Amino acid sequence: MKSALDDGARPELVDSASPSVASGMDRTLKTPGTRPYTLTVTCDTDGIEELTLTLSRGEQEQAYGIECGDPQADQFNFPAGVPFTAQIDPVEDGIGLIFWRLDTITRMRWRAATTTSTAARTEGTQSVG
């Protein structure tokens, strides 16, 4: 057996909330330091199939469809630096919740007993700059 040095990314919670669909989401999130950030968003609603998440940072703005009830949350990656805004318009008389969390990525080092190869799952993950 050969030991290998492995760098693994570990999420560290920065902020999270679960507002109602009727109130929507309008948050400016800070991304200080040098570590990258991941925003994870999903929704669980009654009768609403998709919500539109609009992300803006500086001069850039992009809208994304968030499927409600999807078993895997959508993830958006941000480099550290300028704050960004995440917005989902309120749905009048909407029933359900929006779940979101902002994590920063920490690096931990440990020794593995064996060398293994892993592939990162990228489906549903998007980088926003």
Side-chain angles (χ1 to χ4, degrees):
M1 287 188 159
K2 182 179 178 184
S3 291
L5 190 58
D6 188 5
D7 281 340
R10 300 285 179 259
E12 180 180 303
L13 180 64
V14 174
D15 197 1
S16 68
S18 52
S20 72
V21 173
S23 65
M25 175 183 178
D26 191 4
R27 295 290 295 253
T28 298
L29 300 164
K30 296 180 180 179
T31 56
T34 59
R35 300 182 296 184
Y37 289 79
T38 298
L39 175 67
T40 305
V41 181
T42 192
C43 48
D44 187 13
T45 62
D46 186 22
I48 302 169
E49 292 181 20
E50 184 177 275
L51 296 173
T52 300
L53 169 68
T54 302
L55 297 174
S56 58
R57 190 177 208 190
E59 300 288 320
Q60 298 178 335
E61 182 175 287
Q62 180 69 45
Y64 301 92
I66 304 296
E67 291 185 38
C68 295
D70 191 344
Q72 182 168 339
D74 291 284
Q75 294 184 341
F76 303 89
N77 298 320
F78 293 87
V82 178
F84 68 93
T85 300
Q87 180 186 25
I88 297 175
D89 288 334
V91 176
E92 188 174 329
D93 299 324
I95 297 173
L97 295 172
I98 301 163
F99 302 99
W100 67 267
R101 67 180 285 146
L102 180 67
D103 292 299
T104 187
I105 305 302
T106 62
R107 295 273 182 208
M108 296 182 70
R109 298 174 79 99
W110 72 92
R111 295 227 175 247
T114 60
T115 303
T116 59
S117 175
T118 59
R121 180 182 171 130
T122 58
E123 180 181 321
T125 303
Q126 306 197 21
S127 292
V128 181

PDB file of all heavy atoms in Angstrom, residues 77-95:
ATOM      1  N   ASN A  77     -21.185  28.367  -8.813  1.00  0.00           N
ATOM      2  CA  ASN A  77     -19.870  28.630  -8.238  1.00  0.00           C
ATOM      3  C   ASN A  77     -19.442  30.068  -8.505  1.00  0.00           C
ATOM      4  O   ASN A  77     -19.618  30.565  -9.619  1.00  0.00           O
ATOM      5  CB  ASN A  77     -18.835  27.666  -8.817  1.00  0.00           C
ATOM      6  CG  ASN A  77     -19.164  26.231  -8.479  1.00  0.00           C
ATOM      7  OD1 ASN A  77     -19.591  25.924  -7.371  1.00  0.00           O
ATOM      8  ND2 ASN A  77     -19.004  25.347  -9.433  1.00  0.00           N
ATOM      9  N   PHE A  78     -18.865  30.697  -7.487  1.00  0.00           N
ATOM     10  CA  PHE A  78     -18.400  32.081  -7.579  1.00  0.00           C
ATOM     11  C   PHE A  78     -16.978  32.178  -7.052  1.00  0.00           C
ATOM     12  O   PHE A  78     -16.684  31.639  -5.983  1.00  0.00           O
ATOM     13  CB  PHE A  78     -19.266  33.001  -6.707  1.00  0.00           C
ATOM     14  CG  PHE A  78     -20.669  33.141  -7.174  1.00  0.00           C
ATOM     15  CD1 PHE A  78     -21.645  32.240  -6.776  1.00  0.00           C
ATOM     16  CD2 PHE A  78     -21.029  34.178  -8.016  1.00  0.00           C
ATOM     17  CE1 PHE A  78     -22.949  32.369  -7.211  1.00  0.00           C
ATOM     18  CE2 PHE A  78     -22.325  34.325  -8.454  1.00  0.00           C
ATOM     19  CZ  PHE A  78     -23.291  33.409  -8.051  1.00  0.00           C
ATOM     20  N   PRO A  79     -16.120  32.909  -7.744  1.00  0.00           N
ATOM     21  CA  PRO A  79     -14.815  33.206  -7.156  1.00  0.00           C
ATOM     22  C   PRO A  79     -15.005  34.240  -6.047  1.00  0.00           C
ATOM     23  O   PRO A  79     -16.007  34.971  -6.023  1.00  0.00           O
ATOM     24  CB  PRO A  79     -14.015  33.780  -8.328  1.00  0.00           C
ATOM     25  CG  PRO A  79     -15.041  34.296  -9.276  1.00  0.00           C
ATOM     26  CD  PRO A  79     -16.259  33.450  -9.097  1.00  0.00           C
ATOM     27  N   ALA A  80     -14.066  34.304  -5.138  1.00  0.00           N
ATOM     28  CA  ALA A  80     -14.116  35.312  -4.079  1.00  0.00           C
ATOM     29  C   ALA A  80     -13.986  36.702  -4.700  1.00  0.00           C
ATOM     30  O   ALA A  80     -13.459  36.860  -5.797  1.00  0.00           O
ATOM     31  CB  ALA A  80     -12.984  35.067  -3.086  1.00  0.00           C
ATOM     32  N   GLY A  81     -14.490  37.691  -3.984  1.00  0.00           N
ATOM     33  CA  GLY A  81     -14.349  39.071  -4.455  1.00  0.00           C
ATOM     34  C   GLY A  81     -15.621  39.861  -4.328  1.00  0.00           C
ATOM     35  O   GLY A  81     -16.184  39.991  -3.246  1.00  0.00           O
ATOM     36  N   VAL A  82     -16.095  40.363  -5.443  1.00  0.00           N
ATOM     37  CA  VAL A  82     -17.248  41.252  -5.492  1.00  0.00           C
ATOM     38  C   VAL A  82     -18.508  40.516  -5.020  1.00  0.00           C
ATOM     39  O   VAL A  82     -18.747  39.381  -5.427  1.00  0.00           O
ATOM     40  CB  VAL A  82     -17.445  41.766  -6.941  1.00  0.00           C
ATOM     41  CG1 VAL A  82     -18.666  42.660  -7.047  1.00  0.00           C
ATOM     42  CG2 VAL A  82     -16.204  42.486  -7.417  1.00  0.00           C
ATOM     43  N   PRO A  83     -19.336  41.147  -4.164  1.00  0.00           N
ATOM     44  CA  PRO A  83     -20.602  40.523  -3.766  1.00  0.00           C
ATOM     45  C   PRO A  83     -21.502  40.270  -4.973  1.00  0.00           C
ATOM     46  O   PRO A  83     -21.360  40.910  -6.013  1.00  0.00           O
ATOM     47  CB  PRO A  83     -21.246  41.564  -2.844  1.00  0.00           C
ATOM     48  CG  PRO A  83     -20.144  42.456  -2.421  1.00  0.00           C
ATOM     49  CD  PRO A  83     -19.148  42.449  -3.537  1.00  0.00           C
ATOM     50  N   PHE A  84     -22.445  39.345  -4.841  1.00  0.00           N
ATOM     51  CA  PHE A  84     -23.411  39.080  -5.900  1.00  0.00           C
ATOM     52  C   PHE A  84     -24.811  39.104  -5.307  1.00  0.00           C
ATOM     53  O   PHE A  84     -25.001  38.946  -4.102  1.00  0.00           O
ATOM     54  CB  PHE A  84     -23.123  37.757  -6.612  1.00  0.00           C
ATOM     55  CG  PHE A  84     -23.353  36.527  -5.770  1.00  0.00           C
ATOM     56  CD1 PHE A  84     -24.583  35.881  -5.798  1.00  0.00           C
ATOM     57  CD2 PHE A  84     -22.349  36.020  -4.966  1.00  0.00           C
ATOM     58  CE1 PHE A  84     -24.801  34.750  -5.034  1.00  0.00           C
ATOM     59  CE2 PHE A  84     -22.549  34.897  -4.204  1.00  0.00           C
ATOM     60  CZ  PHE A  84     -23.780  34.256  -4.234  1.00  0.00           C
ATOM     61  N   THR A  85     -25.800  39.312  -6.177  1.00  0.00           N
ATOM     62  CA  THR A  85     -27.197  39.340  -5.750  1.00  0.00           C
ATOM     63  C   THR A  85     -27.916  38.134  -6.331  1.00  0.00           C
ATOM     64  O   THR A  85     -27.753  37.809  -7.506  1.00  0.00           O
ATOM     65  CB  THR A  85     -27.885  40.638  -6.220  1.00  0.00           C
ATOM     66  OG1 THR A  85     -27.190  41.740  -5.633  1.00  0.00           O
ATOM     67  CG2 THR A  85     -29.339  40.683  -5.788  1.00  0.00           C
ATOM     68  N   ALA A  86     -28.707  37.474  -5.490  1.00  0.00           N
ATOM     69  CA  ALA A  86     -29.544  36.351  -5.903  1.00  0.00           C
ATOM     70  C   ALA A  86     -30.994  36.756  -5.682  1.00  0.00           C
ATOM     71  O   ALA A  86     -31.373  37.153  -4.574  1.00  0.00           O
ATOM     72  CB  ALA A  86     -29.196  35.105  -5.091  1.00  0.00           C
ATOM     73  N   GLN A  87     -31.812  36.660  -6.747  1.00  0.00           N
ATOM     74  CA  GLN A  87     -33.193  37.105  -6.654  1.00  0.00           C
ATOM     75  C   GLN A  87     -34.139  36.088  -7.285  1.00  0.00           C
ATOM     76  O   GLN A  87     -33.887  35.583  -8.377  1.00  0.00           O
ATOM     77  CB  GLN A  87     -33.365  38.449  -7.352  1.00  0.00           C
ATOM     78  CG  GLN A  87     -34.784  38.970  -7.295  1.00  0.00           C
ATOM     79  CD  GLN A  87     -34.979  40.232  -8.100  1.00  0.00           C
ATOM     80  OE1 GLN A  87     -34.238  40.486  -9.038  1.00  0.00           O
ATOM     81  NE2 GLN A  87     -35.990  40.994  -7.749  1.00  0.00           N
ATOM     82  N   ILE A  88     -35.213  35.804  -6.564  1.00  0.00           N
ATOM     83  CA  ILE A  88     -36.343  35.035  -7.081  1.00  0.00           C
ATOM     84  C   ILE A  88     -37.574  35.867  -6.775  1.00  0.00           C
ATOM     85  O   ILE A  88     -37.836  36.194  -5.610  1.00  0.00           O
ATOM     86  CB  ILE A  88     -36.457  33.640  -6.432  1.00  0.00           C
ATOM     87  CG1 ILE A  88     -35.225  32.789  -6.767  1.00  0.00           C
ATOM     88  CG2 ILE A  88     -37.738  32.938  -6.879  1.00  0.00           C
ATOM     89  CD1 ILE A  88     -35.183  31.442  -6.084  1.00  0.00           C
ATOM     90  N   ASP A  89     -38.322  36.235  -7.810  1.00  0.00           N
ATOM     91  CA  ASP A  89     -39.510  37.056  -7.609  1.00  0.00           C
ATOM     92  C   ASP A  89     -40.551  36.305  -6.787  1.00  0.00           C
ATOM     93  O   ASP A  89     -40.731  35.087  -6.956  1.00  0.00           O
ATOM     94  CB  ASP A  89     -40.124  37.463  -8.949  1.00  0.00           C
ATOM     95  CG  ASP A  89     -39.279  38.493  -9.684  1.00  0.00           C
ATOM     96  OD1 ASP A  89     -38.539  39.254  -9.019  1.00  0.00           O
ATOM     97  OD2 ASP A  89     -39.357  38.536 -10.923  1.00  0.00           O
ATOM     98  N   PRO A  90     -41.270  37.031  -5.915  1.00  0.00           N
ATOM     99  CA  PRO A  90     -42.345  36.401  -5.148  1.00  0.00           C
ATOM    100  C   PRO A  90     -43.447  35.878  -6.069  1.00  0.00           C
ATOM    101  O   PRO A  90     -43.707  36.446  -7.123  1.00  0.00           O
ATOM    102  CB  PRO A  90     -42.887  37.544  -4.280  1.00  0.00           C
ATOM    103  CG  PRO A  90     -41.857  38.615  -4.324  1.00  0.00           C
ATOM    104  CD  PRO A  90     -41.096  38.439  -5.591  1.00  0.00           C
ATOM    105  N   VAL A  91     -44.080  34.787  -5.665  1.00  0.00           N
ATOM    106  CA  VAL A  91     -45.213  34.230  -6.393  1.00  0.00           C
ATOM    107  C   VAL A  91     -46.461  34.519  -5.556  1.00  0.00           C
ATOM    108  O   VAL A  91     -46.599  33.987  -4.446  1.00  0.00           O
ATOM    109  CB  VAL A  91     -45.055  32.714  -6.617  1.00  0.00           C
ATOM    110  CG1 VAL A  91     -46.290  32.137  -7.292  1.00  0.00           C
ATOM    111  CG2 VAL A  91     -43.800  32.420  -7.419  1.00  0.00           C
ATOM    112  N   GLU A  92     -47.327  35.372  -6.081  1.00  0.00           N
ATOM    113  CA  GLU A  92     -48.537  35.744  -5.352  1.00  0.00           C
ATOM    114  C   GLU A  92     -49.349  34.500  -5.030  1.00  0.00           C
ATOM    115  O   GLU A  92     -49.593  33.662  -5.905  1.00  0.00           O
ATOM    116  CB  GLU A  92     -49.371  36.713  -6.190  1.00  0.00           C
ATOM    117  CG  GLU A  92     -50.544  37.289  -5.428  1.00  0.00           C
ATOM    118  CD  GLU A  92     -51.283  38.345  -6.212  1.00  0.00           C
ATOM    119  OE1 GLU A  92     -50.645  39.052  -7.012  1.00  0.00           O
ATOM    120  OE2 GLU A  92     -52.499  38.451  -6.024  1.00  0.00           O
ATOM    121  N   ASP A  93     -49.735  34.362  -3.777  1.00  0.00           N
ATOM    122  CA  ASP A  93     -50.489  33.207  -3.277  1.00  0.00           C
ATOM    123  C   ASP A  93     -49.736  31.890  -3.461  1.00  0.00           C
ATOM    124  O   ASP A  93     -50.344  30.822  -3.440  1.00  0.00           O
ATOM    125  CB  ASP A  93     -51.871  33.110  -3.955  1.00  0.00           C
ATOM    126  CG  ASP A  93     -52.735  34.338  -3.695  1.00  0.00           C
ATOM    127  OD1 ASP A  93     -52.655  34.881  -2.575  1.00  0.00           O
ATOM    128  OD2 ASP A  93     -53.463  34.750  -4.614  1.00  0.00           O
ATOM    129  N   GLY A  94     -48.424  31.960  -3.650  1.00  0.00           N
ATOM    130  CA  GLY A  94     -47.626  30.748  -3.795  1.00  0.00           C
ATOM    131  C   GLY A  94     -47.479  30.016  -2.471  1.00  0.00           C
ATOM    132  O   GLY A  94     -47.348  30.623  -1.414  1.00  0.00           O
ATOM    133  N   ILE A  95     -47.510  28.702  -2.545  1.00  0.00           N
ATOM    134  CA  ILE A  95     -47.357  27.872  -1.353  1.00  0.00           C
ATOM    135  C   ILE A  95     -46.096  27.033  -1.544  1.00  0.00           C
ATOM    136  O   ILE A  95     -45.950  26.329  -2.544  1.00  0.00           O
ATOM    137  CB  ILE A  95     -48.575  26.955  -1.154  1.00  0.00           C
ATOM    138  CG1 ILE A  95     -49.829  27.813  -0.917  1.00  0.00           C
ATOM    139  CG2 ILE A  95     -48.345  25.986   0.000  1.00  0.00           C
ATOM    140  CD1 ILE A  95     -51.107  27.013  -0.873  1.00  0.00           C
TER     141      ILE A  95
END
